[in-house]
Amino acid sequence: NYVNCLFNIDPLFIDYTVNDYHLDTLSPMIHQGIPMGNPVDLDGVNRSNLPDLGAYEWQPSTEEK
C-alpha cells in the first residue's frame, strides 16, 4: 500500500555510469521525500524538512547560490 509513488521518471542523476548518484539541478526527486529519521545524507549534508529522494541531498553549486 504505497501512496504518492513516482513511476517511470528519470531521476536525473549527475552521472550514474560512473556511480555519481547526486541529483542534477532539474531532478524531480528534489524535495519529494519525507523525514525518516536520517538527519544527514551519505556526504554528511543535513537533510531538510522536505528531504530529497535518494542517498544524497541536492546542494546548489557555487554558481547557483
Side-chain angles (χ1 to χ4, degrees):
N1 297 350
Y2 300 97
V3 293
N4 299 328
C5 295
L6 302 174
F7 293 103
N8 299 322
I9 295 175
D10 184 351
L12 297 177
F13 294 127
I14 296 295
D15 191 350
Y16 68 89
T17 63
V18 294
N19 298 318
D20 186 350
Y21 293 102
H22 291 85
L23 299 175
D24 182 69
T25 303
L26 300 175
S27 174
M29 305 298 131
I30 296 172
H31 301 308
Q32 296 301 311
I34 57 173
M36 299 287 294
N38 300 336
V40 295
D41 70 6
L42 292 180
D43 286 335
V45 174
N46 288 326
R47 293 196 180 266
S48 65
N49 290 336
L50 286 173
D52 303 333
L53 295 177
Y56 301 102
E57 191 76 0
W58 177 78
Q59 295 293 297
S61 68
T62 54
E63 295 86 38
E64 297 172 65
K65 288 184 179 178

